[in-house]
Amino acid sequence: MSRHGPILALVGVTAIWGVTFVQVQDAIALYPLFAFLAVRFAISTVVLGPFAFRSLRTLPRSGYAAGIGVGVLLATAYGLQTAGLELTTVASTGFITGLYVVFTPILALVLFGTPVPRALWIGVGLAVAGLLLLNGVPGGSTLGNLLVLGNAVFQAFQITAMERFAPRYDPRALTFLQMATSFVGFTIIALALGQLEVPRGATVWGALLVTGIFAGALGYLIATWVQARTTAARAALVFTLEAPFAALAGVFLAGEVLGWIGWVGCAVMMAGLLVAEPAASATLRRLSLRGAAP
């Protein structure tokens, strides 16, 4: 494979992540939210099982605790994101989700005392300005945007935790435990709310299979494979492409109308992500090295 192969593979993953916002929005209009998440993560868990089986057998008890704990953070993030997507636009969801790039180093500062460079604070300011502009997008929702913002915060917690634990434990086992924990958690919630039912229809099943297999299980596996073959800075920069892919999917596949305020908000937020990304990557590398220390 060429030296650009891993990066192109990661671009493909971010494109899938962006486009699936439209599929998920259509599916949860027909099928209960927590039931959808339960089945989605059940599919991811089953698909990942063969890849993680051997590493799970040798994983210490502390590794299981880490995987389950990070899984709770991941499940909370996905729950907030999907609930927000039900209320706001695909474009807003994609760009607000991308704010985890700026939140992660700030959490590293609060939790571990890792210094935050000036460029990152500039990126935060631009991202917040873009977020305020996105609240004026037709069809958007302040509550929906706030729920997605909460998702970005929990994604940042999850990434920060993974930067600490990934050097210590097998990433395949950690990824499987996150998927399995999310599946169990969402199944319990769906049962408690009386939402668990058999999925029906091509729209629902299409979204479940794409998010469960390609965006979930294989997406995480490819991302892990790529990050072992490129720098953290290049990988993180590619991850920010999820936001414009989501915006384009919202406009061309869901018929959303951003208007000039929405497009300016997207541009300002994207500028914030690009300004903050190099500093964020450097902060994460320091955090990762600290986590790898005995």
Side-chain angles (χ1 to χ4, degrees):
M1 178 178 289
S2 71
R3 62 190 180 90
H4 299 297
I7 290 298
L8 291 175
L10 197 58
V11 170
V13 170
T14 59
I16 291 172
W17 287 345
V19 171
T20 54
F21 283 126
V22 175
Q23 284 189 294
V24 171
Q25 190 178 60
D26 291 342
I28 59 177
L30 303 171
Y31 188 61
L33 188 152
F34 288 106
F36 177 87
L37 289 169
V39 178
R40 168 186 177 164
F41 281 101
I43 293 171
S44 293
T45 302
V46 170
V47 172
L48 278 171
F51 297 96
F53 178 72
R54 287 188 177 181
S55 56
L56 286 168
R57 292 178 63 185
T58 58
L59 190 69
R61 187 174 300 177
S62 58
Y64 276 92
I68 293 170
V70 178
V72 171
L73 296 174
L74 183 72
T76 304
Y78 269 100
L80 290 169
Q81 183 191 68
T82 310
L85 181 59
E86 199 171 23
L87 301 173
T88 193
T89 64
V90 170
S92 295
T93 301
F95 274 94
I96 297 170
T97 295
L99 288 178
Y100 71 81
V101 172
V102 296
F103 286 150
T104 302
I106 294 174
L107 285 176
L109 169 67
V110 174
L111 297 176
F112 308 116
T114 306
V116 176
R118 182 182 301 175
L120 186 59
W121 291 116
I122 296 173
V124 170
L126 289 171
V128 170
L131 175 61
L132 292 174
L133 289 169
L134 279 179
N135 278 325
V137 171
S141 159
T142 300
L143 175 59
N145 289 348
L146 288 174
L147 288 171
V148 180
L149 188 64
N151 145 69
V153 172
F154 274 94
Q155 280 205 38
F157 271 113
Q158 187 263 351
I159 292 168
T160 303
M162 281 298 289
E163 287 290 338
R164 300 285 288 184
F165 294 132
R168 303 177 184 180
Y169 307 111
D170 190 293
R172 292 166 298 180
L174 289 180
T175 302
F176 174 85
L177 288 172
Q178 289 178 78
M179 299 295 128
T181 300
S182 299
F183 158 59
V184 171
F186 286 129
T187 300
I188 292 172
I189 294 172
L191 284 171
L193 295 177
Q195 290 188 354
L196 204 58
E197 57 187 63
V198 177
R200 293 182 176 85
T203 298
V204 175
W205 271 112
L208 285 170
L209 292 173
V210 170
T211 57
I213 298 173
F214 298 103
L218 295 183
Y220 275 93
L221 281 177
I222 291 172
T224 301
W225 174 77
V226 171
Q227 286 176 291
R229 288 162 174 79
T230 188
T231 64
R234 293 184 73 192
L237 186 60
V238 174
F239 283 137
T240 63
L241 293 176
E242 180 184 3
F245 277 131
L248 291 173
V251 171
F252 291 108
L253 299 180
E256 294 179 356
V257 178
L258 289 178
W260 72 268
I261 292 179
W263 284 113
V264 171
C266 290
V268 171
M269 187 171 288
M270 194 67 196
L273 296 179
L274 293 175
V275 168
E277 188 279 326
S281 295
T283 302
L284 287 176
R285 281 197 299 271
R286 290 196 297 270
L287 183 62
S288 180
L289 291 173
R290 186 183 303 179

